[in-house]
């Protein structure tokens, strides 16, 4: 059973379209994240949600809107896609609070978005 | 702002040999965590090893161990008895103790294990 699952794994679309990537975790974690990996493999955090509340919002265009309907799901919606949005988007989750397990992130398999 | 530097873009090692990947970081904080993640061609991000800054003892996980030099802000990864399945990108990452999950990654080292 996949711990953090993302759909779709691959997405090819035209500039200007709107698309969504879904993420679900079955680990019972309270915190979920979106990370972006660019063409040079550099990874950077975009957002984090703790029990449906936005905690981290890095400098990301407002065309990107995360939505967390419950603590097991964190979806990423992207409006008016641009060429520069082509990347691999990783969802991740972690437990909440202090302790040895609190800050270990479990990543999904990534969703490769290609904008033409 | 914290930064993580991996100075070796690519490395190669013969199967069964030992290889060390370098990582340095910059921070003014005292409470933080350091990680090595592995990304094989499958793209999955896999946690290799984790170190708490307050622990002096170097973390080990089977064939993987770290050399944590806190004063030098160095966190290298040693892979012993390298296996073909170790071929992957390796990312060093820093997390502030109060950051709630903001991992700051280095640019990665591409490791190739040759038969």
């Amino acid at each position: 059973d996949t711990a953090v699952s993302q759909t779709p794994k691959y997405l090819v679309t035209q500039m200007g379209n709107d698309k969504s990537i879904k993420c679900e975790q079955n680990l019972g974690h309270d915190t979920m994240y979106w990370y972006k990996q660019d063409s040079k493999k550099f990874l950077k955090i975009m957002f984090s949600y703790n029990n449906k509340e936005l905690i981290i919002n890095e400098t990301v265009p407002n065309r990107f809107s995360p939505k967390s309907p419950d603590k097991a799901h964190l979806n990423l919606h992207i409006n008016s896609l641009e060429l520069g949005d082509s990347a691999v988007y990783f969802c991740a989750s972690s437990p909440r609070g202090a302790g040895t397990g609190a800050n270990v992130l479990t990543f999904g398999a990534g969703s490769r978005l290609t904008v033409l | 702002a914290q930064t993580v530097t991996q100075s070796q873009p690519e490395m190669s090692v013969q199967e069964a040999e030992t290889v060390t990947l370098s990582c340095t970081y910059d921070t003014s904080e005292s409470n933080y965590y350091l990680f090595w993640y592995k990304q094989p061609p499958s793209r999955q991000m896999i946690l290799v090893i984790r170190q708490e800054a307050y622990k002096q003892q170097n973390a080990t996980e089977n064939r993987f161990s770290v050399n944590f030099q806190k004063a030098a802000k160095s966190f290298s990864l040693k892979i012993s008895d390298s296996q073909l399945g170790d071929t992957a990108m390796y990312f060093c990452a820093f997390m502030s103790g109060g950051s709630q999950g903001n991992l700051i990654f280095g640019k990665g080292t591409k490791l190739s294990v040759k038969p």
Side-chain angles (χ1 to χ4, degrees):
Chain A
D1 221 13
T2 305
V4 181
S5 59
Q6 302 178 223
T7 53
K9 287 189 168 41
Y10 298 93
L11 187 53
V12 180
T13 189
Q14 299 287 330
M15 264 196 323
N17 284 349
D18 303 338
K19 290 294 177 186
S20 292
I21 306 172
K22 295 185 177 182
C23 179
E24 176 182 6
Q25 55 96 1
N26 62 8
L27 298 167
H29 290 168
D30 282 332
T31 308
M32 295 186 72
Y33 313 82
W34 280 107
Y35 278 77
K36 178 181 179 180
Q37 186 174 40
D38 64 22
S39 59
K40 296 183 179 179
K41 302 283 191 182
F42 185 62
L43 277 148
K44 188 175 179 183
I45 193 168
M46 300 173 70
F47 304 101
S48 80
Y49 270 74
N50 189 323
N51 204 9
K52 302 196 295 175
E53 180 183 351
L54 181 65
I55 301 298
I56 296 175
N57 184 351
E58 288 295 302
T59 308
V60 175
N62 58 14
R63 298 181 295 103
F64 290 78
S65 53
K67 285 187 170 50
S68 182
D70 56 63
K71 74 174 193 178
H73 296 83
L74 180 62
N75 304 322
L76 183 65
H77 188 74
I78 315 170
N79 289 327
S80 303
L81 279 156
E82 301 177 356
L83 293 176
D85 298 332
S86 294
V88 179
Y89 293 86
F90 283 95
C91 179
S93 72
S94 70
R96 180 190 177 188
T100 57
N103 42 38
V104 175
L105 273 64
T106 301
F107 284 84
S111 297
R112 179 179 293 279
L113 171 65
T114 303
V115 182
L116 303 174
Chain B
Q2 294 92 352
T3 58
V4 177
T5 303
Q6 294 179 249
S7 59
Q8 306 150 316
E10 291 192 43
M11 293 191 73
S12 64
V13 63
Q14 291 295 131
E15 199 175 4
E17 298 287 304
T18 295
V19 64
T20 299
L21 309 184
S22 301
C23 174
T24 59
Y25 59 95
D26 189 24
T27 184
S28 58
E29 300 188 14
S30 58
N31 178 26
Y32 55 88
Y33 304 86
L34 295 163
F35 305 82
W36 279 97
Y37 275 89
K38 166 185 176 181
Q39 187 178 39
S42 67
R43 202 173 67 203
Q44 180 75 50
M45 292 290 290
I46 302 165
L47 178 67
V48 175
I49 202 163
R50 171 179 179 265
Q51 175 83 43
E52 293 90 342
Y54 61 84
K55 288 187 178 178
Q56 291 187 339
Q57 187 173 5
N58 288 327
T60 62
E61 286 287 342
N62 301 313
R63 298 183 294 107
F64 299 87
S65 62
V66 297
N67 183 1
F68 175 45
Q69 301 289 326
K70 191 171 183 179
K73 295 179 182 174
S74 171
F75 183 62
S76 60
L77 174 71
K78 186 170 85 171
I79 306 174
S80 304
D81 186 25
S82 297
Q83 299 176 0
L84 296 178
D86 295 333
T87 293
M89 282 287 289
Y90 286 81
F91 293 95
C92 179
F94 170 99
M95 183 188 292
S96 166
S99 75
Q100 300 202 41
N102 184 1
L103 276 168
I104 297 170
F105 285 92
K107 293 186 176 181
T109 296
K110 184 177 181 181
L111 177 68
S112 299
V113 180
K114 300 185 185 306

